[in-house]
Amino acid sequence: MSTSVSPLAPKTFATLPPLRGVRMATAEAGIKYKNRTDVLMMVFDGPAAAAGVFTRSRCSSAPVDFCRRNLAGGVARAVVVNSGNANAFTGRKGRAATELTASSAAAAVGCAESEVFLASTGVIGEPLDATKFSGVLSDMNLRATEDFWFEAAKAIMTTDTYPKVATRTAEIAGVTVTINGIAKGAGMIAPDMATMLSFVVTDAALSAPVLQELLSKGVGPSFNSVTVDSDTSTSDTLMLFATGAAEADGQAPITDVANEALDGFRLALNDLLKDLALQVVRDGEGARKMVAVTVEGAESDAAAKRVALSIANSPLVKTAVAGEDANWGRVVMAVGKSGEVADRDRLEIWFGDVRVAVDGERDPDYSEADASAVMKQQDIAVRVNLNLGSGHATVYTCDLTKEYVEINGDYRS
Amino acid sequence: MSTSVSPLAPKTFATLPPLRGVRMATAEAGIKYKNRTDVLMMVFDGPAAAAGVFTRSRCSSAPVDFCRRNLAGGVARAVVVNSGNANAFTGRKGRAATELTASSAAAAVGCAESEVFLASTGVIGEPLDATKFSGVLSDMNLRATEDFWFEAAKAIMTTDTYPKVATRTAEIAGVTVTINGIAKGAGMIAPDMATMLSFVVTDAALSAPVLQELLSKGVGPSFNSVTVDSDTSTSDTLMLFATGAAEADGQAPITDVANEALDGFRLALNDLLKDLALQVVRDGEGARKMVAVTVEGAESDAAAKRVALSIANSPLVKTAVAGEDANWGRVVMAVGKSGEVADRDRLEIWFGDVRVAVDGERDPDYSEADASAVMKQQDIAVRVNLNLGSGHATVYTCDLTKEYVEINGDYRS
């Protein structure tokens, strides 16, 4: 874990209100870290609707496999998350660890194992000794409290330099509901899925299929549009739960995603997902600058996104940003290597408000001083217009610094 | 340009013999660098057969466009290469610069402009003042000499820390022929094509279509199997010329690539291409270690190559190598994110001779000390067996160090 906080960290953290129907507790199980919490347990008072999006890695972790199976039921009573060990590529031992954890959680809470969800983050390939925390789950269930979101976010950190939290409210047919979310992630961050763990809970009364559809759509412009290092983790997990507590205030349960009463909720959820995703980028390992890469004028939105990711993942673009160098030639290179249709002689490129290239060459009005001034900022917008169609997309990344190399050159030791 | 030579540089350089039918000269045109040569001119005494492979970038440079057009003729009389400016993304000015250079070279040598080939390497997006060297081409033609290969390699360097040269001989139906090659490249190196410039010349008598077929096949396991930073340049150019001088020794010209008399030549050429390609990797910007990534047991050779590139391009794998950390969990991650079919529970992974993972988990006999000893070496072999089929591939890369970030964070200034 890093000792200094990212210079891109939020200046203040959102205060997450208690959310009816879910309680949390954390514990120090000593899985890898000393003197800090490394296990989080979320307990739902009743059956909560559950939805999830997971890594597309072909080598997904044991907890991801476990969650995918249980998601078919669509009901959650408990979530157990640990940091320090990803329980990934741990074979039969990994499966046994998930089973032990699930049975311990189910016994503690009094629910079925199919109502338990698990996530692990940390080193890959080391067997996880689940007995370290399975024994404390009963106690955690008794201690769990509603007003515990910030502590929950802290317990799931690995190389994160700050906890990631966000909260929103929305109205559903006149009833105010709340959405709280926490996330972790700093490296091994790329689509798809957004290499990290995130747990979002609402007190709204929504069916599991509605939740799933909202989440699957919402992840596109948020967690699936951020990249730190193009490396996709084996453990990426984003889950959304609905406790349904707002039913007591008169919110009629929603089971149809097309219901217009959901419009405000959808906006609030998408906004919260983007907030959390950007917090992950802003904590990118070694990051000193945040970069928003927008591609317009592509043949389709999907093509725009591929070009944007080619730019955002280019080591040469990212090191140029680190060096505050307005090296738009590398942006041209990254457009060219994306494989998408591009006409060199139609390209326009901006850094911030400074157009640096137009019609296949340097902008005649280009000012090195103006472009350099943009590069000195902490948040940098790179915009490319392919001038071919109407497809557009924005992805978010950070610069590539010596600190990234330092953090990742000796992570295990 | 770097001041210290890569620790992975060859201990000695091959001595390239004069090659009948081609002469070379270099000059200091002051395009970007001071007090070093930055222009190379190759002159063929008679019409040489020509073949080429170029970048797949959609934003290829003006010289690449120019070469592609002229390659249709299949005949070369002159090659002009400059370093310091890539003449890429320079619009109409860029096309004008290629035309001026070609007409100057044609006038100097006394050939058609369609028999001139051009390459430029260096900064992208800056207009190239071709008058700087077009005026010296006549003089260079007069000065050009056969015994000049090493100087030629030096003139085309940019961030290279050493010149790349290789030579081979082969027999074609009892006649000994020679192949000489030079290359440049250190960053912005990735398939396809092998982000660099390379010029290979033989005195064998081979038709242009035969040369092209040999080159297109030979590039697969050589230049298209190396990656420094996954960034594909706009200027990648690999050309192969045959002066045909060996005809004077009785070598009957070969016009059919299936001719068995070519077998020895093909082997020698492929060996030379691989030699040059590996020299490029060993000069990777900031590189301290060379990594050969072999993937076996894939569904196809193409699938194996995609998995191998996913591993070789992973920033987390490359920083782990830099840190001498036997972090095979990141290899699992990179296999998983490749998108190719993989069965976690069949994966085997080796560092050198040390099997670290088998059957979806850590090898029971795994020794951290043995694996660490492998990582301390300068040349590291990473091997993955997917145990699904018989597809295999090897790609070559280097580690990702703080020096890479340093070199690329301030390249333009």
Side-chain angles (χ1 to χ4, degrees):
Chain A
M1 195 169 45
S2 184
T3 48
S4 60
V5 173
S6 166
L8 307 179
K11 301 299 168 242
T12 57
F13 294 109
T15 303
L16 274 55
L19 198 146
R20 291 170 301 169
V22 60
R23 295 174 296 116
M24 285 151 286
T26 58
E28 294 184 20
I31 294 162
K32 170 176 156 54
Y33 305 112
K34 303 290 174 211
N35 301 319
R36 58 156 278 192
T37 56
D38 54 5
V39 187
L40 161 68
M41 188 180 194
M42 277 189 175
V43 184
F44 299 104
D45 296 334
V53 183
F54 303 93
T55 181
R56 289 191 195 157
S57 171
R58 306 297 295 242
C59 298
S60 52
S61 68
V64 165
D65 291 352
F66 182 90
C67 285
R68 280 203 178 101
R69 277 197 303 274
N70 278 1
L71 206 57
V75 174
R77 287 294 309 281
V79 181
V80 181
V81 189
N82 75 274
S83 58
N85 185 313
N87 192 18
F89 210 71
T90 42
R92 273 163 298 142
K93 292 192 197 80
R95 288 185 282 277
T98 58
E99 283 155 20
L100 174 61
T101 309
S103 64
S104 306
V109 174
C111 68
E113 289 176 29
S114 61
E115 296 168 332
V116 176
F117 291 86
L118 306 174
S120 297
T121 176
V123 175
I124 297 174
E126 298 290 330
L128 170 64
D129 180 5
T131 61
K132 278 195 177 170
F133 53 85
S134 61
V136 302
L137 295 179
S138 280
D139 175 60
M140 290 174 79
N141 176 50
L142 297 177
R143 285 194 285 114
T145 168
E146 282 188 341
D147 192 7
F148 211 66
W149 287 95
F150 197 70
E151 290 302 317
K154 275 159 57 177
I156 63 174
M157 288 163 63
T158 53
T159 56
D160 303 62
T161 72
Y162 58 85
K164 286 128 192 108
V165 293
T167 183
R168 296 289 185 280
T169 56
E171 292 217 343
I172 300 182
V175 177
T176 300
V177 300
T178 300
I179 317 172
N180 282 352
I182 61 174
K184 69 80 49 179
M188 214 182 266
I189 299 289
D192 304 293
M193 217 311 277
T195 324
M196 41 85 248
L197 305 185
S198 183
F199 304 94
V200 181
V201 187
T202 178
D203 54 4
L206 307 171
S207 72
V210 165
L211 277 187
Q212 186 64 50
E213 204 152 332
L214 288 171
L215 190 64
S216 299
K217 285 253 171 72
V219 79
S222 59
F223 284 109
N224 276 345
S225 290
V226 299
T227 179
V228 167
D229 51 17
S230 79
D231 277 344
T232 302
S233 136
T234 56
S235 306
D236 301 332
T237 298
L238 165 61
M239 295 200 72
L240 172 61
F241 303 99
T243 68
E247 212 176 334
D249 300 338
Q251 189 231 306
I254 292 185
T255 56
D256 176 7
V257 77
N259 190 326
E260 287 178 9
L262 266 181
D263 290 353
F265 182 88
R266 183 185 287 107
L267 284 175
L269 174 67
N270 289 347
D271 198 47
L272 175 138
L273 292 174
K274 186 164 176 185
D275 184 349
L276 287 174
L278 292 190
Q279 288 189 53
V280 169
V281 174
R282 298 186 83 86
D283 204 9
E285 287 168 345
R288 290 169 180 276
K289 289 176 188 289
M290 162 104 175
V291 188
V293 179
T294 299
V295 172
E296 305 166 333
E299 289 201 320
S300 66
D301 288 353
K305 191 161 180 179
R306 284 189 288 268
V307 175
L309 283 171
S310 179
I311 298 167
N313 282 326
S314 159
L316 287 171
V317 171
K318 293 158 75 83
T319 49
V321 173
E324 301 188 337
D325 176 7
N327 195 324
W328 55 271
R330 295 183 182 169
V331 176
V332 176
M333 175 280 298
V335 171
K337 79 163 180 169
S338 72
E340 293 302 318
V341 175
D343 180 343
R344 183 186 55 198
D345 296 343
R346 293 190 192 192
L347 272 187
E348 285 179 282
I349 302 173
W350 287 259
F351 286 149
D353 292 331
V354 180
R355 189 172 70 175
V356 292
V358 61
D359 295 339
E361 58 186 296
R362 189 164 66 186
D363 191 319
D365 299 327
Y366 170 75
S367 150
E368 179 85 23
D370 289 352
S372 291
V374 169
M375 300 310 288
K376 290 195 192 312
Q377 295 167 7
Q378 196 172 66
D379 283 22
I380 294 171
V382 175
R383 185 154 62 93
V384 174
N385 196 329
L386 302 177
N387 285 306
L388 293 173
S390 59
H392 59 92
T394 298
V395 304
Y396 302 89
T397 189
C398 55
D399 54 349
L400 172 58
T401 65
K402 291 184 197 175
E403 288 69 30
Y404 177 88
V405 177
E406 194 164 275
I407 291 166
N408 286 300
D410 202 23
Y411 175 63
R412 289 205 316 170
S413 60
Chain B
M1 195 165 49
S2 186
T3 49
S4 61
V5 173
S6 165
L8 306 178
K11 300 298 169 246
T12 58
F13 293 109
T15 303
L16 273 56
L19 197 144
R20 291 171 302 169
V22 61
R23 297 173 296 116
M24 283 152 288
T26 58
E28 294 186 19
I31 294 161
K32 171 174 155 56
Y33 306 114
K34 302 292 172 209
N35 301 318
R36 58 156 280 194
T37 56
D38 54 5
V39 186
L40 161 69
M41 187 182 194
M42 278 190 174
V43 183
F44 299 105
D45 295 335
V53 184
F54 302 93
T55 181
R56 289 192 195 156
S57 171
R58 305 298 293 245
C59 297
S60 52
S61 69
V64 165
D65 291 352
F66 183 90
C67 286
R68 280 203 177 102
R69 277 196 304 274
N70 278 359
L71 206 58
V75 173
R77 286 294 308 280
V79 181
V80 180
V81 188
N82 74 273
S83 57
N85 185 313
N87 192 16
F89 209 71
T90 42
R92 275 163 296 143
K93 292 192 197 81
R95 287 186 282 277
T98 60
E99 283 154 21
L100 174 61
T101 309
S103 64
S104 306
V109 174
C111 70
E113 289 177 28
S114 62
E115 297 169 331
V116 176
F117 290 87
L118 305 174
S120 298
T121 175
V123 175
I124 298 173
E126 298 290 331
L128 170 64
D129 180 4
T131 61
K132 278 194 177 170
F133 54 87
S134 60
V136 300
L137 297 179
S138 281
D139 176 60
M140 291 175 79
N141 176 50
L142 296 176
R143 286 194 284 113
T145 170
E146 282 188 337
D147 194 6
F148 211 66
W149 286 94
F150 197 70
E151 291 302 317
K154 276 160 54 178
I156 64 173
M157 288 164 63
T158 53
T159 56
D160 304 62
T161 72
Y162 59 85
K164 284 123 192 121
V165 293
T167 184
R168 297 289 186 280
T169 56
E171 294 217 341
I172 299 181
V175 178
T176 300
V177 299
T178 302
I179 316 172
N180 282 354
I182 61 174
K184 69 79 48 178
M188 214 182 266
I189 299 290
D192 306 288
M193 210 316 275
T195 324
M196 42 85 249
L197 305 184
S198 183
F199 305 94
V200 181
V201 186
T202 178
D203 54 3
L206 306 171
S207 72
V210 165
L211 278 187
Q212 186 63 50
E213 205 153 332
L214 288 171
L215 190 64
S216 297
K217 284 254 171 71
V219 77
S222 59
F223 284 108
N224 276 346
S225 289
V226 299
T227 179
V228 166
D229 50 18
S230 80
D231 275 345
T232 301
S233 136
T234 55
S235 307
D236 302 331
T237 298
L238 166 61
M239 295 201 72
L240 173 60
F241 303 99
T243 69
E247 212 177 332
D249 301 337
Q251 188 231 306
I254 292 185
T255 57
D256 176 7
V257 78
N259 190 326
E260 286 180 7
L262 266 181
D263 290 355
F265 182 89
R266 183 186 286 105
L267 284 174
L269 174 67
N270 289 346
D271 199 45
L272 175 136
L273 292 174
K274 185 163 175 184
D275 184 348
L276 287 174
L278 292 191
Q279 287 188 54
V280 169
V281 174
R282 299 185 83 85
D283 204 8
E285 287 169 345
R288 290 168 181 276
K289 290 177 187 286
M290 160 102 176
V291 188
V293 179
T294 300
V295 172
E296 304 167 333
E299 289 199 322
S300 66
D301 288 353
K305 191 160 179 179
R306 283 189 288 267
V307 175
L309 283 171
S310 179
I311 297 167
N313 281 326
S314 158
L316 288 171
V317 170
K318 292 159 77 82
T319 49
V321 173
E324 300 189 337
D325 175 8
N327 194 325
W328 56 271
R330 294 184 183 171
V331 176
V332 175
M333 176 280 297
V335 171
K337 80 164 179 167
S338 72
E340 293 301 319
V341 175
D343 180 343
R344 183 183 57 200
D345 295 345
R346 293 188 189 194
L347 272 187
E348 285 178 284
I349 302 173
W350 287 260
F351 286 148
D353 292 332
V354 180
R355 188 171 71 176
V356 292
V358 60
D359 297 339
E361 59 186 295
R362 190 164 66 186
D363 191 319
D365 298 328
Y366 170 74
S367 151
E368 178 85 23
D370 290 351
S372 291
V374 169
M375 301 309 289
K376 290 194 193 309
Q377 295 166 7
Q378 196 172 65
D379 283 22
I380 295 171
V382 175
R383 187 155 60 94
V384 174
N385 195 330
L386 302 177
N387 285 306
L388 293 172
S390 59
H392 59 92
T394 298
V395 304
Y396 303 89
T397 191
C398 55
D399 54 348
L400 172 57
T401 66
K402 291 184 197 174
E403 287 70 28
Y404 177 89
V405 177
E406 195 163 272
I407 291 167
N408 287 299
D410 202 21
Y411 173 63
R412 289 205 316 170
S413 60

